[in-house]
Short mmCIF file of all heavy atoms in Angstrom, two decimals:
data_model
loop_
_atom_site.label_atom_id
_atom_site.label_comp_id
_atom_site.label_asym_id
_atom_site.label_seq_id
_atom_site.Cartn_x
_atom_site.Cartn_y
_atom_site.Cartn_z
N VAL W 1 6.52 -8.43 22.36
CA VAL W 1 6.58 -9.19 21.15
C VAL W 1 6.82 -8.24 19.96
O VAL W 1 7.62 -8.59 19.10
CB VAL W 1 5.32 -10.05 20.97
CG1 VAL W 1 5.24 -10.68 19.58
CG2 VAL W 1 5.24 -11.11 22.06
N SER W 2 6.13 -7.12 19.96
CA SER W 2 6.35 -6.20 18.88
C SER W 2 7.75 -5.64 18.86
O SER W 2 8.39 -5.50 17.78
CB SER W 2 5.34 -5.00 19.02
OG SER W 2 5.63 -4.01 18.10
N GLY W 3 8.30 -5.31 20.04
CA GLY W 3 9.63 -4.75 20.13
C GLY W 3 10.74 -5.84 20.00
O GLY W 3 11.87 -5.45 19.64
N PHE W 4 10.41 -7.07 20.16
CA PHE W 4 11.39 -8.13 20.05
C PHE W 4 12.03 -8.22 18.64
O PHE W 4 13.23 -8.49 18.56
CB PHE W 4 10.77 -9.49 20.42
CG PHE W 4 11.71 -10.61 20.49
CD1 PHE W 4 12.54 -10.71 21.61
CD2 PHE W 4 11.86 -11.54 19.49
CE1 PHE W 4 13.47 -11.76 21.74
CE2 PHE W 4 12.72 -12.59 19.59
CZ PHE W 4 13.53 -12.70 20.72
N PHE W 5 11.27 -7.91 17.62
CA PHE W 5 11.69 -8.04 16.31
C PHE W 5 12.20 -6.75 15.65
O PHE W 5 12.56 -6.75 14.47
CB PHE W 5 10.61 -8.62 15.39
CG PHE W 5 10.22 -10.04 15.88
CD1 PHE W 5 9.02 -10.22 16.58
CD2 PHE W 5 11.04 -11.10 15.62
CE1 PHE W 5 8.72 -11.50 17.02
CE2 PHE W 5 10.72 -12.38 16.04
CZ PHE W 5 9.54 -12.59 16.72
N ILE W 6 12.17 -5.65 16.37
CA ILE W 6 12.51 -4.35 15.74
C ILE W 6 13.99 -4.27 15.41
O ILE W 6 14.34 -3.65 14.40
CB ILE W 6 12.07 -3.20 16.59
CG1 ILE W 6 12.04 -1.88 15.82
CG2 ILE W 6 12.92 -3.06 17.84
CD1 ILE W 6 11.28 -0.77 16.43
N GLY W 7 14.88 -4.91 16.18
CA GLY W 7 16.27 -4.91 15.84
C GLY W 7 16.55 -5.57 14.50
O GLY W 7 17.30 -5.01 13.68
N SER W 8 15.92 -6.70 14.21
CA SER W 8 16.15 -7.34 12.92
C SER W 8 15.47 -6.55 11.81
O SER W 8 15.99 -6.49 10.70
CB SER W 8 15.62 -8.79 12.93
OG SER W 8 14.20 -8.76 13.22
N SER W 9 14.36 -5.85 12.09
CA SER W 9 13.71 -5.00 11.15
C SER W 9 14.58 -3.82 10.75
O SER W 9 14.61 -3.39 9.61
CB SER W 9 12.36 -4.48 11.65
OG SER W 9 11.46 -5.56 11.86
N ILE W 10 15.32 -3.27 11.74
CA ILE W 10 16.21 -2.15 11.43
C ILE W 10 17.31 -2.63 10.53
O ILE W 10 17.68 -1.91 9.58
CB ILE W 10 16.82 -1.59 12.78
CG1 ILE W 10 15.69 -0.85 13.53
CG2 ILE W 10 17.94 -0.63 12.47
CD1 ILE W 10 16.17 -0.42 14.97
N GLN W 11 17.88 -3.79 10.84
CA GLN W 11 18.97 -4.28 9.98
C GLN W 11 18.46 -4.66 8.56
O GLN W 11 19.17 -4.44 7.63
CB GLN W 11 19.59 -5.51 10.62
CG GLN W 11 20.35 -5.19 11.92
CD GLN W 11 20.84 -6.38 12.66
OE1 GLN W 11 20.52 -7.50 12.29
NE2 GLN W 11 21.63 -6.13 13.71
N LYS W 12 17.28 -5.13 8.50
CA LYS W 12 16.70 -5.56 7.19
C LYS W 12 16.27 -4.35 6.34
O LYS W 12 16.62 -4.28 5.16
CB LYS W 12 15.52 -6.48 7.37
CG LYS W 12 14.93 -7.03 6.13
CD LYS W 12 13.80 -8.04 6.42
CE LYS W 12 12.52 -7.23 6.29
NZ LYS W 12 11.33 -7.92 6.49
N ASP W 13 15.55 -3.42 6.96
CA ASP W 13 14.93 -2.34 6.20
C ASP W 13 15.71 -1.00 6.28
O ASP W 13 15.55 -0.17 5.37
CB ASP W 13 13.53 -2.03 6.72
CG ASP W 13 12.58 -3.25 6.46
OD1 ASP W 13 12.80 -3.96 5.51
OD2 ASP W 13 11.63 -3.40 7.27
N GLY W 14 16.52 -0.86 7.27
CA GLY W 14 17.22 0.47 7.44
C GLY W 14 16.28 1.33 8.23
O GLY W 14 15.08 1.17 8.44
N TYR W 15 16.89 2.46 8.73
CA TYR W 15 16.17 3.38 9.60
C TYR W 15 15.00 4.07 8.92
O TYR W 15 13.92 4.13 9.41
CB TYR W 15 17.13 4.42 10.17
CG TYR W 15 18.31 3.85 10.97
CD1 TYR W 15 19.60 3.99 10.54
CD2 TYR W 15 18.07 3.12 12.14
CE1 TYR W 15 20.65 3.43 11.27
CE2 TYR W 15 19.12 2.55 12.84
CZ TYR W 15 20.34 2.73 12.42
OH TYR W 15 21.41 2.21 13.11
N TYR W 16 15.29 4.70 7.76
CA TYR W 16 14.25 5.54 7.14
C TYR W 16 13.09 4.66 6.62
O TYR W 16 11.93 5.07 6.75
CB TYR W 16 14.82 6.32 5.99
CG TYR W 16 15.87 7.34 6.57
CD1 TYR W 16 17.22 7.16 6.27
CD2 TYR W 16 15.50 8.36 7.36
CE1 TYR W 16 18.16 8.09 6.80
CE2 TYR W 16 16.40 9.23 7.90
CZ TYR W 16 17.75 9.17 7.61
OH TYR W 16 18.66 9.98 8.12
N ASN W 17 13.38 3.52 6.01
CA ASN W 17 12.31 2.61 5.58
C ASN W 17 11.49 2.12 6.71
O ASN W 17 10.28 1.98 6.60
CB ASN W 17 12.90 1.46 4.74
CG ASN W 17 13.37 1.90 3.37
OD1 ASN W 17 12.92 2.92 2.88
ND2 ASN W 17 14.32 1.19 2.83
N LEU W 18 12.11 1.75 7.80
CA LEU W 18 11.36 1.26 8.92
C LEU W 18 10.51 2.40 9.56
O LEU W 18 9.37 2.08 9.95
CB LEU W 18 12.34 0.74 10.00
CG LEU W 18 11.65 0.00 11.19
CD1 LEU W 18 10.81 -1.14 10.73
CD2 LEU W 18 12.66 -0.42 12.23
N ILE W 19 11.04 3.56 9.65
CA ILE W 19 10.18 4.66 10.14
C ILE W 19 9.00 4.90 9.22
O ILE W 19 7.87 5.10 9.70
CB ILE W 19 11.02 5.96 10.33
CG1 ILE W 19 11.99 5.78 11.50
CG2 ILE W 19 10.13 7.18 10.52
CD1 ILE W 19 12.98 6.93 11.66
N TYR W 20 9.21 4.82 7.91
CA TYR W 20 8.12 4.94 6.94
C TYR W 20 7.09 3.84 7.16
O TYR W 20 5.92 4.12 7.17
CB TYR W 20 8.70 4.96 5.47
CG TYR W 20 7.64 4.97 4.49
CD1 TYR W 20 6.98 6.15 4.20
CD2 TYR W 20 7.33 3.83 3.71
CE1 TYR W 20 5.94 6.18 3.19
CE2 TYR W 20 6.36 3.87 2.75
CZ TYR W 20 5.67 5.05 2.51
OH TYR W 20 4.73 5.10 1.49
N LYS W 21 7.55 2.59 7.36
CA LYS W 21 6.65 1.50 7.61
C LYS W 21 5.87 1.66 8.90
O LYS W 21 4.66 1.41 8.96
CB LYS W 21 7.40 0.20 7.67
CG LYS W 21 7.82 -0.33 6.32
CD LYS W 21 8.50 -1.68 6.42
CE LYS W 21 8.92 -2.24 5.10
NZ LYS W 21 9.52 -3.59 5.26
N LYS W 22 6.53 2.20 9.93
CA LYS W 22 5.81 2.43 11.17
C LYS W 22 4.75 3.56 11.08
O LYS W 22 3.70 3.43 11.66
CB LYS W 22 6.81 2.78 12.31
CG LYS W 22 7.71 1.64 12.68
CD LYS W 22 7.00 0.47 13.24
CE LYS W 22 7.95 -0.65 13.59
NZ LYS W 22 7.23 -1.81 14.07
N VAL W 23 5.08 4.56 10.29
CA VAL W 23 4.11 5.63 10.09
C VAL W 23 2.88 4.99 9.32
O VAL W 23 1.73 5.28 9.69
CB VAL W 23 4.72 6.80 9.31
CG1 VAL W 23 3.65 7.73 8.78
CG2 VAL W 23 5.71 7.54 10.14
N LYS W 24 3.15 4.25 8.32
CA LYS W 24 2.07 3.65 7.54
C LYS W 24 1.28 2.59 8.35
O LYS W 24 0.00 2.59 8.25
CB LYS W 24 2.64 2.90 6.28
CG LYS W 24 2.41 3.60 5.04
CD LYS W 24 2.95 2.90 3.78
CE LYS W 24 2.95 1.47 3.79
NZ LYS W 24 3.50 0.83 2.57
N SER W 25 1.91 1.85 9.18
CA SER W 25 1.17 0.75 9.82
C SER W 25 0.61 1.20 11.24
O SER W 25 -0.27 0.49 11.74
CB SER W 25 2.09 -0.45 10.01
OG SER W 25 3.20 -0.18 10.81
N LEU W 26 1.14 2.23 11.86
CA LEU W 26 0.71 2.59 13.22
C LEU W 26 0.11 3.98 13.25
O LEU W 26 -1.02 4.22 13.80
CB LEU W 26 1.87 2.52 14.21
CG LEU W 26 2.42 1.14 14.46
CD1 LEU W 26 3.66 1.22 15.31
CD2 LEU W 26 1.37 0.19 15.07
N LEU W 27 0.76 4.99 12.71
CA LEU W 27 0.33 6.38 12.78
C LEU W 27 -0.89 6.67 11.90
O LEU W 27 -1.85 7.28 12.32
CB LEU W 27 1.43 7.33 12.53
CG LEU W 27 1.24 8.72 12.99
CD1 LEU W 27 1.04 8.75 14.49
CD2 LEU W 27 2.50 9.61 12.66
N VAL W 28 -0.89 6.20 10.70
CA VAL W 28 -1.97 6.40 9.78
C VAL W 28 -3.27 5.72 10.31
O VAL W 28 -4.35 6.39 10.31
CB VAL W 28 -1.66 5.93 8.32
CG1 VAL W 28 -2.87 5.94 7.45
CG2 VAL W 28 -0.55 6.88 7.74
N PRO W 29 -3.27 4.45 10.72
CA PRO W 29 -4.47 3.90 11.33
C PRO W 29 -4.97 4.63 12.57
O PRO W 29 -6.14 4.81 12.79
CB PRO W 29 -4.10 2.45 11.62
CG PRO W 29 -2.98 2.16 10.79
CD PRO W 29 -2.24 3.42 10.59
N PHE W 30 -4.00 5.12 13.41
CA PHE W 30 -4.38 5.89 14.55
C PHE W 30 -5.16 7.17 14.14
O PHE W 30 -6.23 7.46 14.69
CB PHE W 30 -3.17 6.29 15.39
CG PHE W 30 -3.44 7.33 16.42
CD1 PHE W 30 -4.09 6.99 17.58
CD2 PHE W 30 -3.04 8.66 16.18
CE1 PHE W 30 -4.41 7.96 18.51
CE2 PHE W 30 -3.38 9.60 17.14
CZ PHE W 30 -4.03 9.25 18.33
N ILE W 31 -4.58 7.87 13.14
CA ILE W 31 -5.28 9.12 12.75
C ILE W 31 -6.61 8.82 12.05
O ILE W 31 -7.63 9.51 12.36
CB ILE W 31 -4.35 9.90 11.74
CG1 ILE W 31 -3.12 10.42 12.52
CG2 ILE W 31 -5.09 11.02 11.08
CD1 ILE W 31 -2.01 10.99 11.65
N LEU W 32 -6.70 7.80 11.23
CA LEU W 32 -7.95 7.47 10.56
C LEU W 32 -9.00 7.00 11.51
O LEU W 32 -10.13 7.49 11.45
CB LEU W 32 -7.72 6.39 9.46
CG LEU W 32 -6.90 6.79 8.28
CD1 LEU W 32 -6.73 5.62 7.32
CD2 LEU W 32 -7.59 7.95 7.51
N TRP W 33 -8.70 6.09 12.41
CA TRP W 33 -9.69 5.62 13.39
C TRP W 33 -10.13 6.69 14.36
O TRP W 33 -11.27 6.79 14.80
CB TRP W 33 -9.25 4.33 14.10
CG TRP W 33 -9.35 3.15 13.23
CD1 TRP W 33 -8.36 2.44 12.69
CD2 TRP W 33 -10.59 2.57 12.78
NE1 TRP W 33 -8.88 1.40 11.89
CE2 TRP W 33 -10.26 1.47 11.94
CE3 TRP W 33 -11.92 2.84 12.93
CZ2 TRP W 33 -11.21 0.67 11.32
CZ3 TRP W 33 -12.88 2.01 12.31
CH2 TRP W 33 -12.52 0.98 11.52
N SER W 34 -9.15 7.52 14.74
CA SER W 34 -9.50 8.65 15.58
C SER W 34 -10.40 9.65 14.85
O SER W 34 -11.33 10.21 15.46
CB SER W 34 -8.20 9.35 16.10
OG SER W 34 -7.49 8.47 16.90
N ALA W 35 -10.16 9.88 13.60
CA ALA W 35 -11.03 10.80 12.82
C ALA W 35 -12.45 10.19 12.70
O ALA W 35 -13.41 10.96 12.78
CB ALA W 35 -10.41 11.04 11.45
N VAL W 36 -12.51 8.91 12.49
CA VAL W 36 -13.83 8.27 12.38
C VAL W 36 -14.60 8.41 13.72
O VAL W 36 -15.81 8.76 13.79
CB VAL W 36 -13.75 6.78 12.01
CG1 VAL W 36 -15.02 6.04 12.24
CG2 VAL W 36 -13.29 6.66 10.60
N ALA W 37 -13.90 8.16 14.78
CA ALA W 37 -14.49 8.28 16.14
C ALA W 37 -14.91 9.71 16.42
O ALA W 37 -15.98 10.04 16.99
CB ALA W 37 -13.57 7.78 17.16
N PHE W 38 -13.97 10.65 16.05
CA PHE W 38 -14.22 12.10 16.24
C PHE W 38 -15.51 12.53 15.53
O PHE W 38 -16.39 13.17 16.12
CB PHE W 38 -13.02 12.90 15.74
CG PHE W 38 -13.14 14.36 15.81
CD1 PHE W 38 -13.15 14.98 17.07
CD2 PHE W 38 -13.26 15.19 14.70
CE1 PHE W 38 -13.24 16.33 17.17
CE2 PHE W 38 -13.39 16.48 14.77
CZ PHE W 38 -13.32 17.11 15.97
N CYS W 39 -15.63 12.17 14.27
CA CYS W 39 -16.83 12.59 13.49
C CYS W 39 -18.08 11.90 14.01
O CYS W 39 -19.12 12.62 14.10
CB CYS W 39 -16.60 12.23 12.01
SG CYS W 39 -15.31 13.17 11.22
N SER W 40 -18.01 10.68 14.30
CA SER W 40 -19.22 9.98 14.77
C SER W 40 -19.67 10.54 16.14
O SER W 40 -20.87 10.69 16.44
CB SER W 40 -19.03 8.45 14.87
OG SER W 40 -18.01 8.13 15.81
N ASN W 41 -18.69 10.80 17.02
CA ASN W 41 -19.07 11.38 18.33
C ASN W 41 -19.64 12.72 18.21
O ASN W 41 -20.53 13.15 18.96
CB ASN W 41 -17.84 11.39 19.25
CG ASN W 41 -17.50 9.99 19.76
OD1 ASN W 41 -18.25 9.07 19.63
ND2 ASN W 41 -16.37 9.88 20.40
N ILE W 42 -19.11 13.55 17.24
CA ILE W 42 -19.70 14.86 17.07
C ILE W 42 -21.16 14.77 16.58
O ILE W 42 -22.04 15.48 17.04
CB ILE W 42 -18.81 15.70 16.07
CG1 ILE W 42 -17.56 16.11 16.79
CG2 ILE W 42 -19.57 16.88 15.50
CD1 ILE W 42 -16.59 16.86 15.88
N VAL W 43 -21.42 13.88 15.60
CA VAL W 43 -22.77 13.71 15.11
C VAL W 43 -23.73 13.29 16.26
O VAL W 43 -24.81 13.81 16.43
CB VAL W 43 -22.79 12.70 13.95
CG1 VAL W 43 -24.20 12.30 13.64
CG2 VAL W 43 -22.10 13.27 12.74
N ILE W 44 -23.27 12.34 17.07
CA ILE W 44 -24.08 11.88 18.20
C ILE W 44 -24.35 12.97 19.18
O ILE W 44 -25.47 13.15 19.64
CB ILE W 44 -23.46 10.67 18.86
CG1 ILE W 44 -23.44 9.39 17.92
CG2 ILE W 44 -24.08 10.33 20.18
CD1 ILE W 44 -22.61 8.24 18.36
N ASP W 45 -23.29 13.75 19.51
CA ASP W 45 -23.48 14.78 20.46
C ASP W 45 -24.36 15.93 19.95
O ASP W 45 -25.14 16.53 20.69
CB ASP W 45 -22.14 15.40 20.90
CG ASP W 45 -21.40 14.52 21.92
OD1 ASP W 45 -22.06 13.61 22.44
OD2 ASP W 45 -20.22 14.68 22.08
N ILE W 46 -24.24 16.26 18.65
CA ILE W 46 -25.07 17.30 18.06
C ILE W 46 -26.54 16.83 18.02
O ILE W 46 -27.39 17.61 18.33
CB ILE W 46 -24.55 17.68 16.64
CG1 ILE W 46 -23.25 18.43 16.75
CG2 ILE W 46 -25.59 18.50 15.90
CD1 ILE W 46 -22.58 18.72 15.41
N LEU W 47 -26.76 15.57 17.69
CA LEU W 47 -28.14 15.07 17.65
C LEU W 47 -28.78 15.08 19.08
O LEU W 47 -29.96 15.27 19.19
CB LEU W 47 -28.22 13.71 16.99
CG LEU W 47 -27.89 13.63 15.52
CD1 LEU W 47 -27.90 12.25 15.05
CD2 LEU W 47 -28.86 14.55 14.72
#
């Protein structure tokens, strides 16, 4: 379902804008949530 609409998104937004949107909507949340999990797991393991 996610990939079904990517062709129309490419035509609507263009390559660079779509990559920017993907970084903002997928990569940034991945890094933020992973950092939260990383810090919380370190605190739990240290304690």
Side-chain angles (χ1 to χ4, degrees):
V1 169
S2 175
F4 187 76
F5 298 104
I6 197 166
S8 61
S9 297
I10 291 172
Q11 293 173 352
K12 184 178 97 179
D13 296 329
Y15 300 117
Y16 297 111
N17 287 335
L18 186 59
I19 290 173
Y20 177 73
K21 284 183 178 182
K22 294 296 179 182
V23 167
K24 253 179 35 178
S25 64
L26 295 173
L27 198 57
V28 170
F30 167 76
I31 292 170
L32 291 177
W33 283 110
S34 295
V36 167
F38 178 71
C39 293
S40 63
N41 286 349
I42 286 177
V43 168
I44 291 169
D45 283 347
I46 288 174
L47 292 177

